[in-house]
């Protein structure tokens, strides 16, 4: 890793971007994939928990905290660019311990989800938790607050997403991630939420990433889609080797 502090570098990548130039953050699942993305020229990376889980042999959401933090640390050590970590809903850890363990990995930031087991958390309680994380982390972590309203469905998704996004921004979140929000909703979400917006993109449609930026996304991540695409390539290779 570089001896300079990567956190301000990562934070600066979210500022002053042209609408058609969103920050694209590939999702490494191990050290080898992280090095590949760095060698391709990406300035920062963001681990997806589902992809890391798959690489470790777990179903999404079932990775023990110790193994997830260890995997993140290996990825961070393998590259010289900033790495943000998807830590799901925080593994039930108190905010102080969560921050300490994240900092031990060398990650510059984190995703924190506002649902557990397919159930949305109370937005005010989640805002309080984000405020605790911010209090213990200070400026040492870039906090991306994931909003799972569109993922889980329900009435009046846009209003609920905006309410949560505003609460989380006030609590200290640096960025808000309304995962799976439709592109058509991004302009209204970006206008209503006073921090950068993270959109969910597809590696199968790189030409659409610029458009997501024009619609209001400051940054774009891909969840486990890159790891899943890589595994399809492995299956095809295996099938070819196996033969008819």
């Amino acid at each position: 890793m570089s001896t300079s502090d990567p956190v301000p570098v990562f934070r600066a990548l979210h500022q002053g971007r042209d609408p058609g130039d969103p920050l694209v953050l590939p999702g490494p699942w191990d050290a080898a994939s992280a090095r590949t993305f760095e060698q391709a020229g990406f300035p920062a990376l963001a681990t997806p928990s589902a992809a890391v889980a798959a690489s470790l042999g777990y179903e999404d959401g079932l990775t023990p905290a110790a193994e997830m933090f260890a995997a993140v640390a290996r990825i961070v050590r393998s590259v010289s660019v900033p790495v943000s970590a998807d830590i799901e809903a925080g593994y039930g850890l108190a905010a102080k311990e969560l921050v300490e363990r994240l900092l031990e990995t060398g990650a510059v930031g984190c995703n924190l989800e506002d649902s557990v087991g397919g159930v949305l958390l109370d937005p005010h309680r989640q805002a309080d938790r984000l405020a605790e994380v911010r209090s213990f982390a200070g400026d040492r972590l870039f906090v991306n607050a994931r909003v799972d309203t569109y993922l889980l469905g329900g009435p009046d998704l846009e209003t609920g997403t905006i309410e949560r996004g505003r609460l989380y921004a006030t609590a200290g979140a640096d960025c808000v991630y309304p995962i799976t929000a439709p592109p058509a909703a991004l302009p209204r979400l970006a206008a209503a939420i006073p921090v950068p917006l993270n959109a969910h993109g597809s590696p199968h449609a790189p030409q659409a990433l610029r458009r997501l930026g024009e619609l209001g996304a400051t940054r774009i991540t891909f969840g486990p889609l890159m790891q899943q695409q890589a595994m399809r390539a492995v299956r095809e290779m295996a099938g070819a080797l196996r033969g008819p």
Side-chain angles (χ1 to χ4, degrees):
M1 287 291 295
S2 167
T3 56
S4 62
D5 185 352
V7 181
V9 173
F10 187 70
R11 185 169 279 112
L13 288 171
H14 295 76
Q15 305 300 324
R17 304 197 70 89
D18 292 332
D21 181 34
L23 175 61
V24 176
L25 297 176
W29 53 94
D30 59 13
S33 59
R35 287 173 179 154
T36 299
F37 293 135
E38 180 185 29
Q39 290 163 3
F42 289 97
L45 308 173
T47 69
S49 62
V52 174
S55 76
L56 297 173
Y58 294 101
E59 295 294 323
D60 185 21
L62 297 180
T63 309
E67 293 200 43
M68 182 62 74
F69 287 121
V72 170
R74 286 192 295 273
I75 290 170
V76 172
R77 288 196 303 267
S78 72
V79 295
S80 61
V81 296
V83 178
S84 182
D86 181 351
I87 52 169
E88 303 176 74
Y91 308 108
L93 299 173
K96 184 175 186 294
E97 182 179 357
L98 184 63
V99 168
E100 289 172 348
R101 294 182 73 171
L102 264 170
L103 293 173
E104 287 172 358
T105 70
V108 298
C110 64
N111 276 16
L112 270 176
E113 303 169 6
D114 67 350
S115 70
V116 175
V119 178
L120 282 169
L121 300 172
D122 177 84
H124 295 279
R125 292 185 65 182
Q126 179 69 357
D128 289 344
R129 179 162 170 75
L130 289 166
E132 285 187 294
V133 169
R134 172 56 64 211
S135 176
F136 288 116
D139 60 1
R140 296 177 293 171
L141 289 173
F142 185 99
V143 178
N144 188 32
R146 203 178 91 174
V147 180
D148 288 357
T149 45
Y150 283 99
L151 183 66
L152 298 177
D156 209 356
L157 295 176
E158 191 170 300
T159 299
T161 300
I162 289 171
E163 176 192 359
R164 287 173 180 266
R166 286 176 169 169
L167 282 170
Y168 301 164
T170 299
D174 297 287
C175 188
V176 167
Y177 180 17
I179 188 170
T180 70
L186 294 179
R188 294 184 294 277
L189 296 177
I193 297 171
V195 293
L197 205 67
N198 187 153
H200 185 73
S202 170
H204 308 294
Q207 69 281 359
L209 303 184
R210 177 183 177 89
R211 180 58 178 158
L212 291 175
E214 292 170 343
L215 290 171
T218 295
R219 84 181 209 178
I220 298 171
T221 53
F222 303 91
L225 295 179
M226 290 180 159
Q227 185 265 347
Q228 291 169 358
Q229 183 170 327
M231 292 310 300
R232 281 193 291 273
V234 171
R235 285 193 294 271
E236 290 173 4
M237 180 172 58
L241 290 170
R242 179 75 175 174

